[in-house]
Amino acid sequence: MISADAIRGYVDLMVLSLLREGPSYAYELAQRITAIGGDDYSIKQTTLYSAVKRLEAGGLVSASAGVSPTGKPRTYYRITEAGVAHVALKTEEWHHTKTVVDRFVTGTAQGGTP
Amino acid sequence: MISADAIRGYVDLMVLSLLREGPSYAYELAQRITAIGGDDYSIKQTTLYSAVKRLEAGGLVSASAGVSPTGKPRTYYRITEAGVAHVALKTEEWHHTKTVVDRFVTGTAQGGTP
DNA sequence: CTCGCATACTACGACTGTAGTAGTACGCGT
DNA sequence: ACGCGTACTACTACAGTCGTAGTATGCGAG
């Protein structure tokens, strides 16, 4: 199980990645993230909702009011151009992070432990 | 450049990984982490110092007073058995995290965009 | 001699992101 | 009538990082 602290900072990237495939709404995003996370990770509702709010405030996604098939109101989120750019940026940062952290865990830090 | 938020949660792992190679002290650890991070990452002194304090409080490292070559006091940290176990745990978690986040960034999230 | 710099560490306050808890509201099946 | 899944909101607590600043010492440059 991945702790929240471990994946902290990548919630935004996950949300934006999903929205890149098409508009969605918070509740569904949470379910999809948890589904993709499988046994390893499940996101909390509050975390996801505050994430989309944050992204909306930052102009990375845009919200539009819609309705669910049952007629109830539902807020749809769509990724903006700034959001797409942000995904690219964060993806690159993610690769850097992988490289750096791997340097530590693989012990390539110095010469190895004989 | 990797933002602090991106690597947040892996400072402990980085510190413990370095200490697995032998005892060290806070100031040197900070320098080595920044050196290994290269152009991608540099740790702040406060972050590192609070990290070692946290690890000591958690029993993952043990502190012992020593002296620097100049005769000034210096606190050396050594990884404990619990610390070694923690590294193993966190390393596994790291691999899981990589897998999960990669699922999002590679877009393997669903079936592809036709 | 004095100044700045590197070393080595400590303290405090501010901010952000996640979790916990709880509440609203509605349609559906039993 | 009741609970359950859907869809969302609000408030609080807590942990980790950062910015800033301060202490103290030894060394080389001016």
Side-chain angles (χ1 to χ4, degrees), chain A residues 25 27 45-46 49 72 74-75:
Chain A
Y25 52 100
Y27 190 83
Q45 269 212 343
T46 43
Y49 276 93
K72 299 203 297 181
R74 185 187 275 173
T75 311

Side-chain angles (χ1 to χ4, degrees), chain B residues 18-77:
Chain B
L18 290 181
L19 288 178
R20 220 178 22 181
E21 297 158 13
S24 186
Y25 53 99
Y27 190 83
E28 198 203 31
L29 288 168
Q31 296 206 346
R32 284 173 66 191
I33 289 175
T34 295
I36 294 169
D39 293 333
D40 296 324
Y41 178 63
S42 71
I43 197 168
K44 299 286 172 288
Q45 269 211 344
T46 43
T47 303
L48 195 276
Y49 276 94
S50 66
V52 291
K53 294 272 174 182
R54 185 169 58 243
L55 292 169
E56 197 198 343
L60 303 180
V61 306
S62 65
S64 58
V67 283
S68 73
T70 61
K72 300 202 298 180
R74 185 188 276 172
T75 310
Y76 282 94
Y77 294 96

